[in-house]
Amino acid sequence: MPRVGKKYQAAAANRNVDVSVPAREALTFVKENAFAKFDESIEVAVRLGVDPRHADQVVRGTVVLPAGTGKAVRVLVIAVGDKAREAEAAGADFVGVEHIPRIKEGWTDFDVMIATPDQMGQVGQLGRVLGPRGLMPNPKAGTVTFDVERAVREVKAGKIEFRVDKTGNVHAAIGKVSFPLEALETNFAAFMDQIVRAKPSAAKGVYVRNVALSSTMGPGVRVDTTPFR
């Protein structure tokens, strides 16, 4: 059995693992019982009634969290000409095809890569470096686009990507412990709304089976799934 610290045990003692509570109550518990010395992320875990082994049951998408993520996101844009200038004006941290050789050598000091479609021939060569790190641009995530200004602004404003894992779970960070409760509620509602909208037509039975909220270091709290059915 894994060992946990005294602070974790003290926080876990304040919850009832057999009871699911409304989202507001769960978020309040997570905020009040966060004990780390840093500003912990608040994370949501959703158990879905899908079988990701089948392509028509893969759940993935993006959502712009209204209150942001609380994290400074470093954005790299692979574009040329006017599109490169648009990216710079929108606040991209790194812009230009000159970064491609650096990536081939192992440079990945960025959080999101955006590329225009005409540059994907070059970007595709970076799969071995970007793929394992989840950094490869993807049209479904909105990171392969000619509308680079909008893409950069959305990422900087709090756009996140989610994808179901091989066990049928989706994980995402929806803010920080320091966020006001109302901001966390808004972000959680936006995230769950997008999860529900992303339900595959091939999914049968109960779609949202379990939802839990936790801080980075703290215990999880089960959330009532009734509103999502």
Side-chain angles (χ1 to χ4, degrees):
M1 180 177 179
R3 297 181 62 183
V4 295
K6 293 181 180 179
K7 292 182 179 179
Y8 181 98
Q9 292 179 12
N14 296 324
R15 63 173 179 168
N16 185 338
V17 295
D18 298 320
V19 175
S20 298
V21 300
R24 184 181 183 88
E25 185 176 336
L27 288 166
T28 299
F29 174 91
V30 171
K31 281 175 62 68
E32 292 179 349
N33 288 276
F35 55 81
K37 294 182 179 179
F38 61 90
D39 190 10
E40 299 178 63
S41 294
I42 291 187
E43 302 168 357
V44 57
V46 184
R47 173 71 170 170
L48 298 176
V50 298
D51 186 350
R53 293 175 299 177
H54 300 288
D56 60 355
Q57 294 190 48
V58 172
V59 177
R60 69 178 302 171
T62 61
V63 57
V64 177
L65 300 177
T69 62
K71 177 184 176 182
V73 181
R74 298 165 299 175
V75 180
L76 165 64
V77 177
I78 303 298
V80 297
D82 290 342
K83 294 303 176 182
R85 288 186 283 274
E86 282 182 25
E88 291 174 346
D93 301 273
F94 311 100
V95 180
V97 295
E98 61 269 23
H99 295 289
I100 291 177
R102 298 178 64 196
I103 296 171
K104 288 181 179 179
E105 295 174 359
W107 177 73
T108 56
D109 291 339
F110 53 91
D111 302 298
V112 176
M113 177 192 279
I114 296 168
T116 52
D118 60 320
Q119 298 302 316
M120 283 305 294
Q122 296 188 68
V123 173
Q125 302 172 20
L126 307 175
R128 290 185 178 181
V129 179
L130 301 178
R133 295 171 173 81
L135 294 172
M136 179 63 78
N138 187 299
K140 293 183 178 180
T143 48
V144 177
T145 177
F146 279 117
D147 194 354
V148 293
E149 179 180 2
R150 177 181 178 182
V152 171
R153 294 191 185 282
E154 285 185 342
V155 170
K156 290 285 188 178
K159 182 179 181 179
I160 63 171
E161 182 179 0
F162 60 86
R163 182 185 175 99
V164 67
D165 64 22
K166 62 182 180 181
T167 61
N169 295 310
V170 176
H171 301 268
I174 58 168
K176 297 286 187 177
V177 167
S178 61
F179 279 23
L181 179 60
E182 291 72 20
L184 291 170
E185 280 190 289
T186 301
N187 280 358
F188 176 75
F191 178 77
M192 290 305 303
D193 179 65
Q194 198 61 33
I195 288 290
V196 172
R197 289 175 182 271
K199 179 182 179 180
S201 58
K204 305 300 181 183
V206 178
Y207 175 55
V208 178
R209 295 186 174 180
N210 291 295
V211 180
L213 286 163
S214 66
S215 62
T216 303
M217 305 297 291
V221 184
R222 292 175 59 189
V223 179
D224 181 14
T225 61
T226 303
F228 315 120
R229 295 183 177 178

